[in-house]
Amino acid sequence: MPNSNKAAYFYWLQLTCVLMLGLYLLFFSRWQLETNLLALLPQQTQNHQKNANIALAEQALFADKQKQVVIAIKGDNAMVAYNMLHQDIATIDNVIPIASPQPDISALAEFYLPYRHNFLSPAYLIALNEQQALTKLVSEQLTQLANPFVSATLASDPRLNLAHYLQENLRTLGEVEYQQGIPAINHNQQTYLISRLQLNIDSFSLNDSKKIAEQLQRLFNDIAVQYSVTLHYSGIIFHTAESTSQAKQEISIFGTLSMLGVMLLLLVIFRSITPLLTALITIAIATFYGVTAILIFFDKLHILTLVFAITLIGIVIDYCFHFFVCAAQPELTRKKSITKPLILSFLTTILGYFALIFSPLTLLSQVALFMIFGLLGALLTVLILLPSISKFGRLVISSKVHQFSGNAIAFFISLLNKRRLIFTLLFSALIGLFVIQPINFNDDVRLLNSSPVWLLNNEKNMADLFNKQKSTRLIVQANNVQSLLEQQELIIDKLLALQPNINIKSIVNLLPSIKRQRAHFALLEHANKQGQFDSALAITGLNDPISTFKPLSFDQFATGPLSPLNHLFIAKYSITQNQVAKIQYAAWLEVSGDDLTHTSIEWLKHYENVAIFDKAEQVSSTLALYRQGIIWLLVIALATVTLVLMTKFGIKAGSLASFCTITSGISALLISQLLLGHLNIFNLLAALLILALAIDYVIFYQEHGLCESTFLAISLSAISSALVFGMLAFSKTPAVNSFGLTVMIGIIVIFILAPFSNIKHNN
């Protein structure tokens, strides 16, 4: 191992630079700890690739909604509970109730009457060309004396087209009713009072979200118990708080148990405090390298990155074990013994992680960067710093450990003569397992949700209440408001032509485009000239001359009594093109009643400025594409590894090493599927890491043969790695759980198989 003055100077110089840079970034840069679960998802989905603006449109439409909490209360005391809830909400900082006033019919009528000739309902359009049908429609409305729309508009609009239009379209927009001025929804013959809260913070802020979520949950529970009501609620803030608490707990527990396990292993094997302290120093340096690298390239460090980063302990301690075992062999030349294998293992490991840097998942990019730079710091420390510590010259391994290693080596050597039979049986077992249960990948991103069951049930109840389970949202983007409205009308007309039984909510239900208003005005004017309204007007005895076309503009609507709908359905945002900021508009439509047919979906896919908003489906599709890419990456990696091993160690030794490496990965996947029921992208990523770790083991055996020092170092490495990765298998986060379980299984399998790759026997 290099121990020259130049190497030492280089080490301390680069370590000083890293420490100074890392401390500066930690204390003076504007980084923050990220807890937003949505940040883990791919930032660009397959649907959004056809128009980059759609992604910005989606963000503009739903950014504020991610900072909202929706509450539903039912029970005999629901009204009292609702009032007390709003009274107590005032005591929580940064939480403001969103006003939902009941629309005043008189105010609506007064607002729309100047533009009354521009609005025709579908039923009115059908009856417009037939005087008898038109007279019947008006007469039916006149008999509804209690209808507030009729009474509010009859004097100024005796044709009653505006009354019919408002009544039909307000009903289309939702099932919300009002009880004593409070929004309510009837669901399964039960009434729920609805309240919405706006959070004046970042919903994903680590400390604020946790504090406010806890305050709200305590308040909700107290209200439910005190007034004997059922209270459901939903909001991203609760998922953020739960995932933060869970990640903190897992970092603390897994990290502590992993370190305790490694420390105990070091003390049992070497019976000295020196290896323990130097191992802790090496892990600390490696961790600091990793954190510094992330802060250089990312302004946000995701908390789940720290959970995955616990695995750094398992690999760094491998390097330390190889050094410690080598240091306990005074007759060996340390530089020749481990420098070359350690560098080879480092290169193979970082190649496995390097492929993840370009992942569409931010989490994986951060983990890969953390591990690469962390292992670099560990390698430099083990090869340059540790040899300068003179106490390693007196390192002694327990005699019982020597005895165990000797017996194990003898056992493996006795099996080498039966290697062909063992490999045949193993290969047959894997084939049988694959036939019984073929590899099945499930890319549904919802299976990776780490939120607790009670919170997911709450979300499901709210989705059922608002009928979101059977609805589809569409996002439309345009350069100006009128184009946005016209595109929505075109989409609605096309979808209704394809599927007449669906219901569609949109801002155009109450604010048609000026083009559509002009068309309706022309139709009404023509029908009036043809005398179609003579009988209807004769019944009322009123007259309403049709004069100049006067459109209802977007700006006028935005200041009217229904202005909240404007903010609910439409968002304005800016994009930069050629260094010039341009204003864009986005809107969403909600389709319910029936699922969209394949024909409708295909038509929407070919429409340039519209996208189906289904985050789970979009991300799942992207994960599937990325999974296919990882499979090809694994195939290429395996072919490359086989070629390198055969070139380096010969055809026979290279073939044996490749077989052991590949078998460990396949075995880990098949056994993981047997335990989990399916595989996901994180199992594949684990297989990629297994490949890198397995190569380390076979390289050491190929370099040194099945000797005691090599077997002992690999055994300690396998135990520590299995311990660290095995901890992750107990994680409540499915992604972490899948990753940890597969890696642990792979490590156990390669530990058993690696000695069979040796052709030097007992070197």
Side-chain angles (χ1 to χ4, degrees):
M1 286 170 284
N3 195 27
S4 65
N5 289 335
K6 289 184 178 180
Y9 289 148
F10 165 75
Y11 177 81
W12 289 111
L13 177 62
Q14 60 84 32
L15 181 60
T16 302
C17 292
V18 171
L19 288 174
M20 292 177 64
L21 177 60
L23 291 173
Y24 171 79
L25 293 172
L26 276 172
F27 294 105
F28 298 103
S29 66
R30 296 183 178 180
W31 70 280
Q32 64 184 44
L33 193 61
E34 175 70 80
T35 60
N36 176 13
L37 292 175
L38 298 180
L40 301 180
L41 305 179
Q43 298 301 304
Q44 193 174 42
T45 60
Q46 186 178 9
N47 268 359
H48 290 175
Q49 289 173 355
K50 69 181 183 180
N51 190 335
N53 280 347
I54 291 291
L56 294 173
E58 176 185 316
Q59 182 180 0
L61 283 168
F62 299 110
D64 286 341
K65 296 172 182 59
Q66 293 175 355
K67 300 178 184 178
Q68 292 181 2
V69 173
V70 184
I71 309 159
I73 307 173
K74 74 169 182 177
D76 295 336
N77 299 320
M79 191 67 68
V80 178
Y82 179 95
N83 292 329
M84 289 306 300
L85 174 66
H86 277 249
Q87 178 179 317
D88 293 341
I89 284 293
T91 63
I92 302 178
D93 294 334
N94 296 315
V95 180
I96 302 173
I98 299 176
S100 301
Q102 182 175 3
D104 182 82
I105 303 302
S106 299
L108 278 177
E110 183 180 354
F111 176 76
Y112 274 97
L113 277 172
Y115 320 101
R116 60 189 177 278
H117 300 139
N118 307 346
F119 302 99
L120 299 175
S121 66
Y124 225 100
L125 283 169
I126 294 174
L128 204 57
N129 294 321
E130 187 178 342
Q131 186 178 33
Q132 186 176 355
L134 199 57
T135 303
K136 180 181 178 182
L137 182 60
V138 175
S139 299
E140 288 176 350
Q141 291 185 87
L142 286 172
T143 59
Q144 301 172 12
L145 298 179
N147 188 327
F149 293 101
V150 173
S151 59
T153 62
L154 177 61
S156 299
D157 181 31
R159 296 179 182 82
L160 294 177
N161 59 291
L162 179 60
H164 197 267
Y165 183 90
L166 291 175
Q167 182 179 352
E168 292 297 312
N169 284 285
L170 282 173
R171 184 188 299 123
T172 302
L173 281 180
E175 299 78 22
V176 176
E177 302 175 354
Y178 285 85
Q179 294 191 359
Q180 301 180 29
I182 297 174
I185 290 181
N186 288 317
H187 181 70
N188 292 336
Q189 299 180 342
Q190 297 189 48
T191 300
Y192 293 79
L193 300 183
I194 306 300
S195 176
R196 297 178 186 271
L197 308 177
Q198 182 69 46
L199 309 178
N200 289 339
I201 61 165
D202 183 349
S203 295
F204 316 118
S205 170
L206 181 62
N207 296 321
D208 291 342
S209 64
K210 191 172 186 300
K211 178 182 176 182
I212 291 178
E214 290 175 349
Q215 290 177 309
L216 288 175
Q217 286 173 316
R218 280 198 300 270
L219 176 59
F220 296 159
N221 291 334
D222 291 344
I223 291 289
V225 172
Q226 183 177 354
Y227 298 100
S228 300
V229 295
T230 300
L231 192 150
H232 300 304
Y233 56 90
S234 68
I236 289 179
I237 188 173
F238 302 110
H239 295 272
T240 302
E242 288 296 325
S243 64
T244 301
S245 299
Q246 181 176 296
K248 280 185 173 180
Q249 185 179 28
E250 291 182 353
I251 291 170
S252 176
I253 294 175
F254 297 162
T256 302
L257 291 178
S258 298
M259 290 301 299
L260 287 176
V262 169
M263 291 166 63
L264 181 62
L265 190 60
L266 284 165
L267 289 174
V268 168
I269 299 299
F270 300 104
R271 299 181 182 274
S272 171
I273 198 70
T274 302
L276 176 59
L277 293 177
T278 51
L280 293 177
I281 291 172
T282 305
I283 291 171
I285 291 174
T287 302
F288 199 84
Y289 270 69
V291 172
T292 301
I294 290 181
L295 296 183
I296 291 174
F297 294 99
F298 294 91
D299 56 0
K300 294 182 179 180
L301 171 60
H302 202 286
I303 194 166
L304 276 186
T305 300
L306 300 179
V307 178
F308 273 101
I310 294 172
T311 60
L312 180 68
I313 298 173
I315 304 179
V316 170
I317 206 66
D318 288 359
Y319 293 1
C320 294
F321 277 134
H322 281 291
F323 175 82
F324 296 153
V325 172
C326 179
Q329 311 293 325
E331 73 279 1
L332 293 178
T333 303
R334 294 176 180 175
K335 183 174 182 179
K336 291 184 178 179
S337 295
I338 67 167
T339 300
K340 183 178 177 182
L342 274 185
I343 292 176
L344 282 174
S345 65
F346 167 75
L347 292 175
T348 55
T349 304
I350 67 167
L351 282 175
Y353 279 112
F354 186 77
L356 306 183
I357 288 181
F358 305 101
S359 164
L361 300 175
T362 305
L363 170 68
L364 298 181
S365 300
Q366 290 190 359
V367 170
L369 200 65
F370 183 93
M371 295 298 289
I372 289 172
F373 282 88
L375 291 178
L376 175 62
L379 181 70
L380 294 174
T381 302
V382 169
L383 294 182
I384 301 176
L385 177 63
L386 298 194
S388 65
I389 302 176
S390 59
K391 288 187 178 182
F392 284 122
R394 298 188 296 273
L395 208 59
V396 177
I397 298 175
S398 168
S399 59
K400 291 184 178 180
V401 174
H402 279 298
Q403 184 180 357
F404 168 78
S405 299
N407 292 336
I409 290 171
F411 173 73
F412 277 109
I413 290 176
S414 68
L415 292 179
L416 285 176
N417 294 327
K418 301 176 183 178
R419 178 163 47 196
R420 181 174 297 179
L421 175 62
I422 292 172
F423 281 3
T424 302
L425 292 175
L426 178 61
F427 184 74
S428 301
L430 291 177
I431 293 294
L433 189 59
F434 181 79
V435 171
I436 294 172
Q437 191 174 15
I439 289 180
N440 171 42
F441 289 101
N442 193 330
D443 301 304
D444 190 347
V445 70
R446 286 166 290 201
L447 296 176
L448 302 178
N449 196 326
S450 61
S451 298
V453 174
W454 65 266
L455 186 53
L456 295 177
N457 287 337
N458 238 352
E459 295 287 352
K460 182 179 182 302
N461 291 332
M462 294 298 285
D464 289 338
L465 183 60
F466 286 93
N467 198 29
K468 299 299 182 186
Q469 299 280 26
K470 299 179 180 179
S471 65
T472 303
R473 283 186 174 182
L474 308 179
I475 297 176
V476 185
Q477 177 270 331
N479 297 328
N480 57 71
V481 172
Q482 288 306 314
S483 175
L484 185 70
L485 297 175
E486 290 174 14
Q487 288 190 65
Q488 291 181 80
E489 290 166 348
L490 187 153
I491 292 168
I492 292 172
D493 293 344
K494 180 65 176 182
L495 291 179
L496 289 175
L498 294 172
Q499 296 180 248
N501 295 326
I502 61 175
N503 301 312
I504 303 179
K505 293 181 185 178
S506 169
I507 189 68
V508 297
N509 292 118
L510 291 167
L511 177 62
S513 66
I514 292 178
K515 180 180 179 181
R516 178 64 58 91
Q517 291 181 52
R518 189 183 299 276
H520 284 188
F521 178 89
L523 289 172
L524 192 72
E525 185 181 38
H526 177 73
N528 188 66
K529 289 180 179 179
Q530 296 295 319
Q532 304 288 18
F533 287 103
D534 290 350
S535 298
L537 291 176
I539 296 174
T540 62
L542 299 171
N543 190 25
D544 176 29
I546 300 176
S547 56
T548 308
F549 170 67
K550 182 181 180 181
L552 171 61
S553 69
F554 173 77
D555 292 337
Q556 291 166 325
F557 182 85
T559 60
L562 294 178
S563 58
L565 291 179
N566 165 46
H567 300 292
L568 178 64
F569 283 94
I570 294 180
K572 182 170 69 171
Y573 61 100
S574 64
I575 62 172
T576 302
Q577 291 181 346
N578 298 325
Q579 299 182 341
V580 177
K582 293 185 177 180
I583 299 299
Q584 301 285 291
Y585 292 86
W588 63 268
L589 302 84
E590 183 176 298
V591 182
S592 59
D594 285 326
D595 292 334
L596 289 175
T597 63
H598 176 73
T599 303
S600 298
I601 292 174
E602 287 301 311
W603 182 81
L604 289 170
K605 284 182 178 180
H606 290 89
Y607 194 88
E608 183 179 0
N609 295 320
V610 64
I612 299 175
F613 179 73
D614 187 343
K615 198 68 176 180
E617 179 60 31
Q618 292 169 356
V619 174
S620 297
S621 299
T622 303
L623 288 179
L625 291 174
Y626 185 52
R627 170 179 56 79
Q628 294 169 11
I630 292 180
I631 290 176
W632 281 110
L633 182 64
L634 275 170
V635 172
I636 295 171
L638 290 173
T640 304
V641 166
T642 302
L643 180 62
V644 170
L645 290 175
M646 287 184 177
T647 303
K648 174 66 178 175
F649 301 111
I651 294 178
K652 182 178 179 181
S655 298
L656 289 172
S658 299
F659 178 82
C660 294
T661 301
I662 295 171
T663 301
S664 64
I666 294 175
S667 300
L669 290 175
L670 289 173
I671 296 173
S672 295
Q673 179 174 256
L674 195 62
L675 296 174
L676 299 175
H678 64 269
L679 299 177
N680 58 54
I681 190 173
F682 290 94
N683 298 111
L684 270 184
L685 294 170
L688 201 59
L689 180 57
I690 291 170
L691 174 63
L693 295 174
I695 295 172
D696 295 353
Y697 292 6
V698 298
I699 284 176
F700 272 94
Y701 277 123
Q702 294 298 334
E703 286 286 336
H704 303 302
L706 192 52
C707 62
E708 183 180 331
S709 61
T710 302
F711 178 80
L712 180 57
I714 289 177
S715 298
L716 296 176
S717 298
I719 293 171
S720 60
S721 296
L723 174 67
V724 174
F725 286 102
M727 288 293 175
L728 299 185
F730 295 98
S731 172
K732 294 180 181 179
T733 304
V736 180
N737 171 279
S738 302
F739 184 84
L741 177 65
T742 303
V743 175
M744 181 186 68
I745 295 171
I747 288 172
I748 294 172
V749 173
I750 191 57
F751 170 72
I752 297 172
L753 291 181
F756 292 100
S757 68
N758 169 60
I759 61 171
K760 296 182 179 180
H761 290 228
N762 191 4
N763 191 18

